Amino acid sequence: MHQLNIKHLLSIQDLSEADLMGIINLAKTFENINEQHVKKVPILKGRTIVNLFFENSTRTRVSFEIAGKRLSADTINISGSASSTSKGETIVDTAKNLMAMNPDVIVVRHNKSGAPALMAKAVTASIVNAGDGTHEHPTQALLDCATILRHKKKLQGLQVAIVGDIDHSRVARSNILALSKLGAKVRLCGPVGLVPESLKRIGGDLTESSVSIHHELASAIDGVDVVMMLRIQNERMGAESPRFANTREYSRYFGLSNRTVSAAKSDAIVMHPGPLNRGVEIMPDIADSGRSVILEQVKLGVAVRMAVLYLLGGGNASE
Ligand code: NCD
């Protein structure tokens, strides 16, 4: 089995191509546990996982909790509003206090980019980044790559369009890196204000040559194998000047529907990390169509997180 030589999962930058494939392949072996009548194996028995979510989440939080429980770890969930940071405690102090209770893994979601990395410096447990600000969401990219591989069998040479509010998206950043490392070509598409040219360089020479920038939906998805739609993240825009005209116009030019998707390959799959804003970036006729793999992403997410928790949580498959 592939071993990771990292202690924390903070960024896709820290993973090699072999690491990415190692996690995805291990996830495959965990998938059948999720289909069994008794959905549990004892390989993380006696391990403690804390899920510390300072930002709203449905899918990711439940997915990590289920993943930990199905591997028999003791999982504890804390939400930001229920934690002492709402009383003024710093995240480093929170981390040190949690550490005094000796957890093996702390899964963190935070609205500040870099918060999980800060915590990683303060604790001996493994930190897993479950989404930090606009920075990264590594397990989402892993489950997205696993879903694409399931349908397309390879990533090398595949054309993947990511459409939407790229600038505020940690999902986009992690996917740009993961897809590029695995040999796919990435087309980023959205209004000029939401797709800065600088994103081409987040992975240095690698992404400079694999990523292209587009501001027109039809040309961006022309002939692609995968269309990944993203939500407009209004909550990250603050009071700055508007990045796009308005929602109605956005939807008209960048919304994916059964009609607009026709520029993509006829067997192209449609993805979305959720939550969906139906009628804005994605129309129900395509979100609920046979091309949509959105719920499959969620399903594979559990297996991918099982693999990550197993590899970082010091699991023992022979137990
Ligand atoms: C995303 C996130 O929180 O980064 N959702 C997710 O984790 N599945 C995307 C989003 O919030 O739009």
Side-chain angles (χ1 to χ4, degrees), residues 55-56 59-60 109 130 137 140 170-171 231 233 235-236 273-275:
E55 235 190 27
N56 292 344
R59 272 155 296 272
T60 308
R109 168 168 285 197
H137 192 350
Q140 180 70 42
R170 53 201 178 200
V171 175
R231 179 178 68 92
Q233 305 206 14
E235 75 277 19
R236 301 196 198 286

Side-chain angles (χ1 to χ4, degrees), residues 7-8 99 102-104 119-127:
K7 181 166 178 59
H8 310 284
M99 210 50 234
N102 207 16
D104 300 284
M119 290 180 83
K121 291 202 177 83
V123 299
T124 52
S126 287
I127 299 286

Side-chain angles (χ1 to χ4, degrees), residues 194-241:
L194 294 176
V195 193
E197 287 279 335
S198 57
L199 282 165
K200 269 180 75 74
R201 291 181 291 279
I202 62 168
D205 291 348
L206 174 71
T207 53
E208 181 92 57
S209 57
S210 64
V211 176
S212 58
I213 308 277
H214 304 254
H215 302 296
E216 205 228 358
L217 183 67
S219 61
I221 68 172
D222 185 33
V224 297
D225 303 278
V226 179
V227 187
M228 187 184 294
M229 301 305 293
L230 299 175
R231 179 178 68 92
I232 297 277
Q233 305 206 14
N234 286 311
E235 75 277 19
R236 301 196 198 286
M237 294 198 201
E240 60 197 70
S241 54

